[in-house]
Amino acid sequence: MMPIVMATAIGALVLIAVLLSAIMTLLPGYDVPSAPCGTSAPTNIPPLYLDLYQQSAARYGVPWSVLAAVGKAESDHGRGPAPGVTTGSNHAGAAGPMQFMPATWQSFGVDGNADGIKDIYDPADAIPAAASFLRHGGAPAHLNQALLRYNHDSAYVTKVLRIAESYAAPACAPVQLSGTGRGSAATAAASHWLGTPYSYGGGGLAGPTLGIGQGAKVRGFDCSGLARYAWHQAGTTLPRTTVEQWHAVPHIPPGRQQPGDLVFFQGSDGGPNRPGHVGLVLDSDRMIEAPRTGTRIRISRYTIRRDLVGYARPVG
């Protein structure tokens, strides 16, 4: 293939930057469980890898879609059958899901999960190391140069940029918020975090946090944490847990729900008077929710669920 000309590289950079800036303001399609709007991540990127790409991007300032494109090109996000992905090395000596050469790993290896080991085969270490190496090579300002340093093949650079563009391409409509007052303010606050990872125990009054247990290494929200954050932005502070919210907030009858109202469900471990899940009503059919571990904050339909417990409306 012909080398990439500078105009093409600049154009790709501008497009990626514009698309990335739009991600957090776009709406995921109905019941899309695992990725921000505007990505093909639900089918193409394992949730663990997507989290690591986005966390590393935030840390090193490299577009997550580019990191993900490198991971796709190098090992299909750790799923590739070629030698060197999980053990050993390939014919050129590269190893791990991001295919580092030993000398490069020696200089740029990262202990991303803080376990005291820089493991070239562990995506928690390899992905931030790739972000660090790309940053050192000139990304994001000189992304073409950084990718060419990562792999000295212009066809590889073209491939990675095309994959990155597909991951960042918008595919959804903007969130349409209805209503006025505090309920509308709460849904607007929650919608800002669409695509953010679910983190058990995660979420504070100021935004996403590391959780506990299964969420200890994930920065995000759980369901009640998102509801509490959103309503705090609207001027009302709720209790922390779903059960506490259900018993503390005035209930309203079905059919009277409005944007921002809390909608409760039994969930996997709750009951009629002890709900295990909560979302924020968006309209007469949809809600914003943080579903469960391994998923992301999304728009989904609450009217089709059979475990609905009821609705509640926070007051000032």
Side-chain angles (χ1 to χ4, degrees):
M1 297 180 69
M2 295 294 290
I4 298 176
V5 298
M6 185 61 71
T8 301
I10 292 173
L13 279 169
V14 171
L15 177 60
I16 290 171
V18 170
L19 294 174
L20 283 171
S21 68
I23 285 176
M24 291 307 295
T25 62
L26 298 175
L27 168 67
Y30 288 179
D31 298 319
V32 176
S34 59
C37 176
T39 76
S40 51
T43 57
N44 289 347
I45 305 178
L48 171 63
Y49 273 71
L50 182 58
D51 286 342
L52 291 170
Y53 292 138
Q54 293 183 329
Q55 292 167 15
S56 299
R59 179 177 177 182
Y60 292 98
V62 177
W64 78 264
S65 59
V66 174
L67 276 177
V70 171
K72 173 67 176 178
E74 296 292 354
S75 70
D76 190 21
H77 312 301
R79 299 173 297 198
V85 174
T86 57
T87 59
S89 60
N90 67 9
H91 66 281
M98 303 304 278
Q99 292 290 278
F100 275 97
M101 296 297 290
T104 306
W105 182 258
Q106 187 68 28
S107 299
F108 293 94
V110 170
D111 180 12
N113 56 7
D115 64 356
I117 302 172
K118 297 179 181 179
D119 185 351
I120 198 171
Y121 301 106
D122 188 341
D125 294 343
I127 290 172
S132 175
F133 185 55
L134 288 170
R135 176 66 178 267
H136 184 78
H142 304 288
L143 189 54
N144 182 69
Q145 168 188 307
L147 288 170
L148 198 57
R149 183 176 181 184
Y150 200 98
N151 185 311
H152 307 303
D153 182 353
S154 60
Y156 173 87
V157 177
T158 301
K159 177 181 179 179
V160 166
L161 288 175
R162 286 176 176 170
I163 295 172
E165 183 178 336
S166 73
Y167 283 152
C172 318
V175 177
Q176 298 297 319
L177 300 176
S178 60
T180 60
R182 291 187 175 185
S184 180
T187 55
S191 70
H192 177 73
W193 298 103
L194 288 167
T196 300
Y198 177 96
S199 175
Y200 179 75
L205 297 180
T209 68
L210 293 175
I212 60 176
Q214 293 178 313
K217 294 183 179 180
V218 179
R219 187 173 298 276
F221 292 93
D222 63 12
C223 64
S224 59
L226 178 65
R228 185 169 183 255
Y229 162 83
W231 268 99
H232 182 73
Q233 311 315 304
T236 298
T237 300
L238 303 177
R240 179 59 181 85
T241 69
T242 302
V243 172
E244 290 172 332
Q245 291 171 1
W246 172 247
H247 289 290
V249 178
H251 299 175
I252 57 173
R256 301 287 295 275
Q257 67 270 22
Q258 297 176 3
D261 288 346
L262 304 181
V263 53
F264 293 87
F265 307 89
Q266 292 189 32
S268 60
D269 58 355
N273 199 41
R274 189 178 176 81
H277 183 58
V278 62
L280 288 97
V281 170
L282 183 61
D283 55 32
S284 61
D285 184 54
R286 302 175 302 160
M287 66 178 172
I288 300 175
E289 64 167 341
R292 59 190 174 277
T293 298
T295 65
R296 295 172 176 275
I297 295 174
R298 67 181 183 180
I299 304 292
S300 60
R301 298 178 62 197
Y302 63 86
T303 54
I304 64 173
R305 292 189 57 152
R306 298 181 179 180
D307 63 337
L308 193 149
V309 172
Y311 305 92
R313 180 170 301 156
V315 294

